[in-house]
Amino acid sequence: MHRFLSFACLVASSAAFIAQQQRPRHVLHAVDVSLEKPLGLVLEENVRDAPEGLYVAEIGSDGSASGCADIKVDDRLDAVNGVDTTSMGFDDIMDLIVDAPSPVSLKFSGPTCQLTVVGCVEIRFQAPQ
């Protein structure tokens, strides 16, 4: 006969484990769009976590991006016509966009929500037979 001892959320370490698991975690969305010029996007340099790349600062009502619900303010521009822009400077990225034929293929990513995960541990011990 098997003897199982089950412990849910160990008393000594459960508080530390749960505290660790309750840290917010970001879920990212990624979207590929094809937009006609004028785009109607205001892009700003990334000054948050790296000196390169651009973020969407504003979506104007006068361009094709206004009709695209997938693009959000604070999204990062990841690529222009398949060219990775995450480590490029502002002028180089703008040159890519200006020189690109219309429609322009753009790839964006950004946070869509924050998750808080609360976990519980279950440990089973099997007694020797």
Side-chain angles (χ1 to χ4, degrees):
M1 176 181 271
H2 298 286
R3 292 183 183 178
F4 291 96
L5 301 174
S6 296
F7 296 97
C9 298
L10 294 174
V11 175
S13 63
S14 66
F17 175 79
I18 290 172
Q20 177 186 9
Q21 295 301 312
Q22 288 180 338
R23 288 178 291 176
R25 297 183 181 165
H26 293 283
V27 176
L28 296 180
H29 76 271
V31 62
D32 292 300
V33 296
S34 183
L35 298 175
E36 295 288 339
K37 292 182 179 182
L39 303 178
L41 291 172
V42 176
L43 301 171
E44 290 184 352
E45 287 182 288
N46 176 13
V47 294
R48 297 173 195 154
D49 54 10
E52 295 91 13
L54 300 182
Y55 279 85
V56 176
E58 184 180 323
I59 302 171
S61 60
D62 59 341
S64 60
S66 66
C68 182
D70 294 329
I71 302 172
K72 310 280 187 234
V73 170
D74 290 332
D75 280 356
R76 181 181 69 190
L77 178 61
D78 293 331
V80 175
N81 286 340
V83 177
D84 183 352
T85 59
T86 58
S87 63
M88 295 174 70
F90 182 86
D91 291 334
D92 293 330
I93 297 171
M94 294 310 294
D95 287 344
L96 279 177
I97 295 171
V98 169
D99 295 341
S102 190
V104 183
S105 175
L106 303 171
K107 181 176 183 177
F108 294 94
S109 65
T112 56
C113 63
Q114 273 195 340
L115 296 180
T116 300
V117 179
V118 177
C120 189
V121 176
E122 181 176 316
I123 299 177
R124 293 177 183 231
F125 294 96
Q126 182 175 354
Q129 297 180 5

